[in-house]
Amino acid sequence: MIECMRNAVNKPQTNADRIRSMTDEELAGLLKEVKEDYQWANPDYPDCEDCGEWLNWLQSEAE
């Protein structure tokens, strides 16, 4: 068990680890940024001023 914990401590954090450790608010902000980047490349994509839609979706019951 202790060896397993040592390996976890020495293992560098991946992007997936970082995402998994985010709060709902942080993840909603990240998704908003990704959406904005996509909108910049695709101007016809609908605009969204805040991350409220993402936050609502993240906090809703999974299907």
Side-chain angles (χ1 to χ4, degrees):
M1 177 72 171
I2 293 174
E3 184 65 30
C4 180
M5 290 172 59
R6 269 193 209 125
N7 289 340
V9 171
N10 294 330
K11 182 181 173 190
Q13 184 181 40
T14 65
N15 288 321
D17 294 332
R18 181 174 160 250
I19 290 169
R20 280 190 284 271
S21 68
M22 287 180 171
T23 64
D24 291 349
E25 290 78 11
E26 290 170 329
L27 185 52
L30 174 67
L31 292 171
K32 178 182 178 282
E33 287 180 33
V34 169
K35 182 179 178 184
E36 287 172 349
D37 287 347
Y38 185 79
Q39 286 173 320
W40 180 80
N42 299 289
D44 294 333
Y45 197 78
D47 192 15
C48 173
E49 289 299 317
D50 61 32
C51 57
E53 291 178 27
W54 287 113
L55 187 57
N56 290 339
W57 179 79
L58 289 168
Q59 294 177 338
S60 67
E61 186 175 341
E63 297 177 7

